[in-house]
Amino acid sequence: MSAPAAELLELRGVSMAFGGLSVVDRLDLDVRAGEIVSVIGPNGAGKTTLFNLVTGIYRPTAGKIRFEGQSIVGLEPHQITRRGIARTFQTLRLFLNMTVRENVMAAAYGHTKAGVFRAILRTPGQRREERAIRELAERRLAFFGERLMGYRWDQPAYSLSYANRRRLEIARATATNPRLLLLDEPAAGMNPVETHEITELIGKLRTEGGYTILVIEHDMHVVEGISDRVIALDHGVKIAEGSFDAVATDPRVVEAYLGTKAAERK
Amino acid sequence: MADEETRRERLEEGVPAASATAGPQIGVDEWVARSAERRGGRGGRLGVVEARLRTVPWWAWLTLFVAIVAALPVGFESGYVRRVAFDTVIFMLLALGLNVVVGWGGLLDLGYVAFYGVGAYTYAILSADRYDLHLPVFVSIPAAAVVGGLVGLLVGLPSRRLVGDYLAIVTLFFFQIFLTVSNNSDSIFGEDRAGGPNGILNVEPLSLFGRELPVSTEGIFNVAYLYVALAFFVVVFVALRLANASRTGRAWRSLREDPLAAELMGMPVNWLKLTAFAFGAAVAALTGTLVTALNGSVFPQTFEFPLLITVYTMVILGGAGSQAGVVIGAIGISVLLELLREPGDSRFLFYVLSVLALVGTLRFSRRLAIVLGGTLALGFVVHSLAGAIDGSWTAGAARDGGRLGEWATQWVVVPSSLASWVTPVSYIGLVAAVLTLTLLRGRLRLALLVPTLYLAAFVWENVMLAKPEPTRFVVLGAILIAVMVARPEGVLGEKRVEIV
């Protein structure tokens, strides 16, 4: 076991079964602070389930999940978010009929305090906090440069283009002030230019934002471009782990993606 | 051309200078983001006026509105107008409270009216002779609101993990419990607690600063009650507005949009549901105190289902989620229901609304002229034919005369006595004709529209006006359907968009 302080997220023997169907099976996984780790695997490999386990949507049927050395199993999702884990969704789940700015401001709920009665009385503290939330939201949006700038902040989120909705989801996740960011297929449905932008953006999230990032991605260019480490899952089991080159050429990974024949031919 | 320019100017207002030079390229993000403006914006002078009106701050609208309502008693001496204004403000309060739960929280609360009842009963218990507590209003009214909010929390507690239909059923059940308990409150554990169906009587009227406010002087409604209600309205409106703009309000709306995403963005969804519930309940309870103080009594029968449906109609018609919208909805429905009591007024409403609806769907076109002219002509032909065959067929008098009534009887066949089979046949015939209309297209539709309109006028004069009470709700239902078809988001509601 390595130094406990360095492990931001630690999964030990985590299993998840729906009835008799095992989706994640005795999975061990570590994410160290400052790392970008990619999770790959064919459809149905259990990648999104892994995210759902870490964020508390599901409770694992067995195993331990520790974040910053403390167990987070059994906590409610909003409590886990407050500890410092935020995520985006594969199928976008924005607050579509709220403005762009409000989408991001709403996510500051967990680390702000002013209650509703203080809001009604407009106490100085509440107003200060509200200003701070607004500034935070604008900073998070400004992180995306021109893409999410200016007057568009007062528009409803549904009016954004698809790629911008993906960006907005990331902005919203960062407004919870997380240490660990879980990105579920951030490049899904994007064109090559946008995919390239996302690759750069994920790098920037680490260097400028200081987030540790666990990302699910199908696009191998993105995975290659960003990952310190790649973890390959198949049928809920970790079949390979290591650098991109090592994992991409691992016969078990090739087999999982392409079948036995292809793996033999290599 | 000029039209195009004003339009562009309007577009560029509020747009940062950098992007104001030329329109964005078609297809880029910015172009997509502006699509709503391109479609929604009106051109020409009307567009400019609309854009200007949008810049008026909300509190200016509120002040203007309150000033108008406050000036009503000056313009109208009659106690009737004052009483209707008071009732309307009560409905506005109820709609504002329901808007918290339904419009912001996105929770279907079918027990809402019960909280109104809880407030009414709490006030009555604290201020009636029955328990001889006679607490001052500065204690009893806030107490009732707090009790209402707490009961809201309690009801929310078992349902905090429920969503959608399940929540609706639990709240409906609570409503039923409230009705059962209040109806049997003359024997709770063998003791008479709150009078059962006979209610609580002799509730003190409001008294402010040591002066009792009589409900009426010389039979005329005391206008002070209207002003007290109006003051409550302003406080509730502003408080809820501030709450909505705060962290909690954003969380409520996030909950409405996507509970799972809200939870994962750090918002305690179950707790937020409870607070939304409690806030709505507290507003309803607060409203209940006013009505009880005015009536001097409280009965279980006040809190029945039609009231729940009426308040929901107000919120949905006005536009759930928009405070101004639900207030407008409340005013519209309340005034409408009041006008429909009076045959003369409701006849006027019927014909005006019919013509307006026609203009709204057909615009000022040749088709509109054909339909209106055709209906008029058809009416006169049928009328003179009927009169020629049997004089008594057109000899009936208009209910509650008036000039419009006299005109109507010159055009619509109103027999002096109606054969018993006419009522159901004409009514069912009208419903069938309307349903058929929705299936037809083009000329056939226009052709059927003419006799349908005439049949509607016939049914209105002979059947509906004879029974004003059910007619009110039939007309309300028809208007609800029409508005929902034309504007599903309500009059001022924000458009709900789901991306598939």
Side-chain angles (χ1 to χ4, degrees):
Chain A
M1 209 177 174
S2 57
E7 309 285 0
L8 193 61
L9 182 72
E10 243 186 297
L11 272 70
R12 288 287 172 270
V14 170
S15 298
M16 181 69 204
F18 296 108
L21 180 70
S22 169
V23 190
V24 171
D25 194 17
R26 280 162 290 168
L27 182 70
D28 293 336
L29 188 151
D30 293 304
V31 181
R32 282 170 219 111
E35 258 189 326
I36 298 182
V37 178
S38 298
V39 181
I40 62 167
N43 288 325
K47 304 183 298 289
T48 298
T49 306
L50 167 68
F51 273 23
N52 287 343
L53 286 168
V54 173
T55 52
I57 297 177
Y58 302 146
R59 198 194 162 110
T61 36
K64 294 191 178 94
I65 304 176
R66 271 195 287 268
F67 181 67
E68 295 181 318
Q70 286 175 315
S71 171
I72 54 170
V73 174
L75 292 182
E76 288 192 56
H78 72 264
Q79 293 170 318
I80 293 177
T81 306
R82 282 173 197 200
R83 297 262 178 115
I85 301 179
R87 71 173 286 181
T88 64
F89 299 87
Q90 182 184 352
T91 53
L92 294 161
R93 304 192 75 132
L94 286 169
F95 308 131
L96 286 175
N97 296 290
M98 290 162 66
T99 68
V100 169
R101 188 193 277 112
E102 275 188 322
N103 262 274
V104 184
M105 288 172 79
Y109 190 95
H111 55 82
T112 46
K113 285 195 295 293
V116 64
F117 292 105
R118 281 170 67 191
I120 289 171
L121 298 173
R122 281 176 70 77
T123 61
Q126 188 269 341
R127 279 151 72 179
R128 215 176 306 124
E129 187 182 277
E130 193 69 8
R131 263 200 308 280
I133 295 173
R134 205 182 167 85
E135 280 161 17
L136 171 84
E138 288 173 0
R139 267 206 311 283
R140 294 293 187 254
L141 283 165
F143 189 81
F144 293 83
E146 289 229 326
R147 290 299 197 174
L148 286 176
M149 279 304 276
Y151 68 97
R152 228 174 291 175
W153 292 350
D154 287 320
Q155 289 198 330
Y158 65 72
S159 71
L160 293 182
S161 65
Y162 179 79
N164 267 345
R165 272 182 259 145
R166 283 230 172 265
R167 295 186 186 105
L168 180 57
E169 263 219 342
I170 299 176
R172 185 179 67 173
T174 58
T176 63
N177 286 347
R179 296 202 54 204
L180 176 65
L181 206 50
L182 309 181
L183 305 177
D184 199 344
E185 298 201 23
M190 292 202 165
N191 68 33
V193 179
E194 290 162 343
T195 306
H196 181 69
E197 267 185 40
I198 278 285
T199 313
E200 289 184 347
L201 184 89
I202 293 173
K204 216 175 109 189
L205 278 171
R206 168 166 63 176
T207 50
E208 290 176 28
Y211 307 111
T212 303
I213 296 166
L214 183 62
V215 54
I216 295 175
E217 189 48 68
H218 276 302
D219 189 317
M220 286 304 153
H221 295 293
V222 177
V223 176
E224 186 176 10
I226 57 173
S227 316
D228 296 323
R229 212 146 44 88
V230 178
I231 292 167
L233 295 183
D234 188 28
H235 296 298
V237 181
K238 182 158 78 180
I239 53 172
E241 180 173 358
S243 70
F244 175 80
D245 292 331
V247 171
T249 53
D250 189 298
R252 274 173 303 176
V253 176
V254 178
E255 187 190 322
Y257 271 95
L258 301 172
T260 338
K261 284 264 175 60
E264 278 168 2
R265 212 173 294 147
K266 266 202 114 166
Chain B
M1 213 34 227
D3 196 62
E4 190 55 39
E5 263 164 39
T6 44
R7 201 186 155 114
R8 189 165 302 152
E9 267 169 36
R10 211 183 71 72
L11 271 179
E12 282 158 10
E13 268 175 36
V15 178
S19 54
T21 43
Q25 232 182 316
I26 289 174
V28 303
D29 291 343
E30 208 170 302
W31 183 82
V32 176
R34 280 198 196 179
S35 63
E37 284 179 57
R38 278 195 303 278
R39 250 179 278 121
R42 226 186 272 271
R45 274 175 214 290
L46 215 63
V48 176
V49 172
E50 203 180 293
R52 284 281 139 75
L53 284 181
R54 274 181 206 283
T55 59
V56 177
W58 64 270
W59 47 264
W61 286 117
L62 182 66
T63 317
L64 178 72
F65 172 72
V66 170
I68 291 172
V69 179
L72 270 184
V74 182
F76 296 90
E77 284 286 303
S78 90
Y80 173 70
V81 169
R82 294 172 182 188
R83 176 66 207 233
V84 171
F86 174 84
D87 288 346
T88 304
V89 176
I90 292 299
F91 275 125
M92 279 153 40
L93 279 164
L94 284 177
L96 281 178
L98 188 60
N99 182 45
V100 176
V101 196
V102 175
W104 293 341
L107 307 164
L108 192 53
D109 177 6
L110 295 181
Y112 184 69
V113 166
F115 300 117
Y116 177 52
V118 167
Y121 267 95
T122 309
Y123 179 80
I125 286 167
L126 295 179
S127 330
D129 292 338
R130 174 177 278 271
Y131 290 96
D132 224 13
L133 289 169
H134 296 294
L135 293 182
V137 290
F138 290 107
V139 178
S140 58
I141 289 181
V146 169
V147 169
L150 286 179
V151 174
L153 274 183
L154 285 180
V155 174
L157 218 48
S159 44
R160 68 189 187 281
R161 288 179 196 283
L162 302 177
V163 285
D165 310 348
Y166 305 103
L167 180 71
I169 289 169
V170 171
T171 53
L172 195 60
F173 180 61
F174 166 69
F175 189 15
Q176 200 54 51
I177 290 179
F178 173 79
L179 288 179
T180 308
V181 170
S182 58
N183 266 308
N184 294 293
S185 58
D186 49 353
S187 168
I188 293 180
F189 304 121
E191 257 182 83
D192 186 352
R193 307 273 177 182
N198 299 322
I200 300 178
L201 304 173
N202 299 324
V203 181
E204 277 183 356
L206 294 181
S207 58
L208 293 176
F209 310 110
R211 285 223 333 258
E212 198 164 275
L213 299 178
V215 170
S216 60
T217 43
E218 292 161 24
I220 292 190
F221 180 79
N222 186 352
V223 81
Y225 276 85
L226 173 61
Y227 290 138
V228 171
L230 208 52
F232 275 47
F233 166 73
V234 173
V235 170
V236 168
F237 188 96
V238 174
L240 292 182
R241 177 130 204 142
L242 292 174
N244 184 40
S246 79
R247 163 178 176 267
T248 312
R250 280 191 297 272
W252 282 338
R253 281 173 289 132
S254 308
L255 164 71
R256 170 193 77 196
E257 294 294 320
D258 189 330
L260 181 70
E263 176 79 28
L264 283 161
M265 291 303 126
M267 290 169 253
V269 162
N270 289 337
W271 169 247
L272 285 164
K273 274 192 206 169
L274 286 186
T275 55
F277 244 90
F279 258 76
V283 172
L286 188 73
T287 315
T289 63
L290 279 181
V291 177
T292 308
L294 179 76
N295 291 339
S297 57
V298 55
F299 304 102
Q301 294 84 349
T302 316
F303 313 102
E304 298 274 359
F305 278 95
L307 181 63
L308 179 73
I309 292 164
T310 310
V311 180
Y312 259 95
T313 311
M314 290 166 172
V315 169
I316 292 167
L317 262 189
S322 155
Q323 282 190 299
V326 301
V327 168
I328 287 174
I331 297 171
I333 302 292
S334 169
V335 171
L336 192 73
L337 284 177
E338 210 46 57
L339 287 180
L340 286 173
R341 274 184 212 280
E342 188 79 17
D345 290 341
S346 65
R347 173 183 289 119
F348 184 73
L349 254 179
F350 173 77
Y351 288 112
V352 168
L353 282 182
S354 304
V355 172
L356 280 182
L358 278 179
V359 174
T361 44
L362 298 176
R363 309 282 160 190
F364 291 103
S365 63
R366 226 176 54 209
R367 288 182 305 161
L368 177 71
I370 292 171
V371 170
L372 282 181
T375 312
L376 279 177
L378 177 71
F380 288 121
V381 170
V382 172
H383 189 270
S384 52
L385 274 180
I389 294 168
D390 189 334
S392 74
W393 284 5
T394 54
R399 268 164 244 280
D400 191 54
R403 191 162 296 165
L404 190 62
E406 274 170 40
W407 288 348
T409 49
Q410 298 301 312
W411 178 64
V412 184
V413 174
V414 182
S416 49
S417 68
L418 215 55
S420 62
W421 58 269
V422 176
T423 309
V425 166
S426 61
Y427 192 83
I428 294 169
L430 177 62
V431 173
V434 171
L435 291 181
T436 316
L437 266 183
T438 61
L439 298 175
L440 295 178
R441 288 276 167 275
R443 285 198 185 149
L444 265 178
R445 186 176 208 171
L446 281 191
L448 183 62
L449 191 55
V450 172
T452 307
L453 283 172
Y454 187 68
L455 185 59
F458 177 83
V459 170
W460 179 258
E461 292 291 338
N462 290 294
V463 182
M464 310 277 275
L465 281 182
K467 291 214 181 301
E469 205 41 38
T471 296
R472 291 164 74 200
F473 290 98
V474 170
V475 171
L476 192 63
I479 291 176
L480 184 63
I481 293 173
V483 173
M484 285 297 104
V485 169
R487 246 186 107 79
E489 69 268 32
V491 178
L492 281 188
E494 299 139 34
K495 198 159 64 180
R496 288 288 171 77
V497 174
E498 305 245 342
I499 292 170
V500 185

